[in-house]
Amino acid sequence: MDAHITEKIMQEMGNCDTTIIEVEGVPMLQSISDVWDTIYNFQARDGDIVVASYPKSGTTWTQEILDMILQDGSIEKSMRAPCFVRVPFLEMAYTSLEVANSMPSPRLLKTHLPVHLMPPSFWEKNVKIVYVARNPKDCMVSYYYFHKMDNTMPDPGTWENFFSMFLSGNVSWGSWFDHVIGWWKSQDKHQILYVFYEDMIEDPQREIQRVMTFLGKDLSEEALQKIQHHTSFSSMKVNPMVNYGVLPTSLFDTSISTFMRKGTVGDWKNHFLVSQNILFDEEYKKKMDGSGLSFRTEL
Ligand code: A3P
């Protein structure tokens, strides 16, 4: 069953149209815009749990932590299928949505949608959402390598080119700034736990505990230790159920970059030119001022 679904998802990915087109003013892959009505009309259920994020913010890491918490820390259960089968990706219609619709509750779902494009049924059902955010400099670098290795994404061109595209929000799922601020401001209206990638790196145990409390679970110290170990970068890097190693190189070309690439805070320093850093900091200040939200670019 899972092998069949994996195969179907891979086929869909292989047919992905990498043209970027706007959905309600937000740049998206053509393949998402083509099925937008289906995505937007998705029916959430009571008890659904969502991991939301801007791409490359630690989504896979967070969803693995959540899945393990929901499976009471069982490593065996967390290995039952590749992460993209266990946690359907909302924007990846139709197979992912078929999987979601046939899953027993409580379902764990993944999305990169900006908050204002979330299907309304999630708000109607008052669904719990864990939003993970990462500092934009590391996010940009990670997204650049992802564009290079993921053949379902458009060619990023040179680093210089991608830097300008990211800064102007002209990339898939739109502006990082709008995304993180939009979700931040929605916390007082919905059940959202806002988590920072940098906090997870700094103290994974503390952040796993926060997520567990938010989900209303109370696992033993032993289970927590297991989750922390199993979701560490070194464990996830070699775990085929989360490192996307099951995908063929025609989809994810791991000779260019691996999905579990570095998993650190501060890799941007190896990529940003001094002039780019100045430009970025100016833009960051303009966009983030007054948002009440701040990011750490080093620990
Ligand atoms: P890098 O490219 O900087 O290494 P997403 O899942 O949202 O696509 O995010 C992918 C990024 O999260 C990649 O960043 C990946 O290495 C990092 N990541 C995945 N699992 C991680 C973990 N357990 N610990 C730290 N970083 C992790």
Side-chain angles (χ1 to χ4, degrees):
M1 173 66 170
D2 285 343
H4 170 66
I5 293 167
T6 306
E7 197 58 44
K8 259 181 98 176
I9 290 178
M10 287 197 280
Q11 247 172 37
E12 250 173 30
M13 287 175 80
N15 295 332
C16 217
D17 187 336
T18 62
T19 313
I20 299 289
I21 191 155
E22 289 198 352
V23 172
E24 309 284 340
V26 179
M28 294 273 188
L29 291 170
Q30 171 91 48
S31 48
I32 294 174
S33 121
D34 285 347
V35 292
W36 179 246
D37 285 351
T38 306
I39 295 168
Y40 195 69
N41 289 309
F42 179 79
Q43 288 306 300
R45 288 188 210 146
D46 288 326
D48 279 348
I49 297 158
V50 177
V51 174
S53 62
Y54 189 81
K56 310 321 286 176
S57 302
T59 327
T60 316
W61 186 12
T62 309
Q63 72 189 50
E64 196 60 9
I65 290 172
L66 263 80
D67 186 42
M68 279 202 81
I69 292 174
L70 295 174
Q71 305 299 336
D72 296 322
S74 162
I75 293 179
E76 206 185 0
K77 287 186 185 161
S78 81
M79 301 286 284
R80 67 195 181 281
C83 55
F84 54 87
V85 176
R86 278 180 285 143
V87 186
F89 184 15
L90 204 58
E91 291 94 296
M92 203 186 271
Y94 292 99
T95 309
S96 261
L97 298 187
E98 265 172 39
V99 174
N101 288 331
S102 60
M103 260 170 113
S105 291
R107 303 182 295 188
L108 184 57
L109 305 163
K110 158 188 165 177
T111 186
H112 289 317
L113 290 176
V115 71
H116 69 285
L117 292 186
M118 280 296 276
S121 66
F122 283 102
W123 310 134
E124 285 152 21
K125 296 288 181 191
N126 196 23
V127 162
K128 284 186 181 173
I129 302 182
V130 176
Y131 183 82
V132 58
R134 185 182 194 181
N135 84 74
K137 294 181 180 178
D138 284 325
C139 199
M140 187 197 293
V141 171
S142 182
Y143 210 10
Y144 172 64
Y145 282 100
F146 189 62
H147 273 75
K148 279 164 72 97
M149 65 87 77
D150 178 356
N151 288 321
T152 72
M153 299 294 283
D155 180 357
T158 61
W159 162 248
E160 228 179 344
N161 185 55
F162 188 76
F163 178 90
S164 307
M165 281 163 59
F166 186 97
L167 204 53
S168 62
N170 193 18
V171 285
S172 256
W173 287 282
S175 154
W176 175 91
F177 298 99
D178 294 349
H179 210 282
V180 295
I181 294 172
W183 278 95
W184 180 254
K185 288 192 170 157
S186 301
Q187 284 180 101
D188 49 356
K189 292 194 283 288
H190 306 295
Q191 293 204 81
I192 297 169
L193 179 72
Y194 209 99
V195 178
F196 293 92
Y197 179 93
E198 293 73 25
D199 290 352
M200 287 165 69
I201 292 276
E202 184 180 62
D203 192 342
Q205 194 180 351
R206 180 190 64 207
E207 296 308 304
I208 293 170
Q209 184 86 47
R210 267 184 82 212
V211 173
M212 185 180 78
T213 305
F214 177 69
L215 297 182
K217 297 279 281 186
D218 187 15
L219 302 186
S220 67
E221 191 53 41
E222 191 198 342
L224 279 175
Q225 290 295 333
K226 251 203 290 184
I227 295 174
Q228 186 179 339
H229 176 73
H230 191 67
T231 60
S232 67
F233 184 75
S234 53
S235 299
M236 285 183 61
K237 194 170 173 64
V238 295
N239 178 354
M241 293 297 121
V242 289
N243 69 10
Y244 285 87
V246 294
L247 297 185
T249 47
S250 57
L251 290 177
F252 278 17
D253 190 344
T254 47
S255 69
I256 296 176
S257 174
T258 49
F259 185 89
M260 299 291 163
R261 197 183 56 91
K262 286 214 172 161
T264 55
V265 180
D267 187 38
W268 63 272
K269 292 179 189 167
N270 300 316
H271 297 80
F272 276 51
L273 299 172
V274 173
S275 55
Q276 287 176 328
N277 199 32
I278 293 169
L279 190 68
F280 193 94
D281 287 347
E282 280 170 3
E283 196 63 17
Y284 180 93
K285 200 172 173 337
K286 266 193 257 164
K287 293 255 169 63
M288 301 297 283
D289 249 9
S291 68
L293 183 55
S294 65
F295 284 83
R296 292 188 287 170
T297 54
E298 55 194 326
L299 292 179

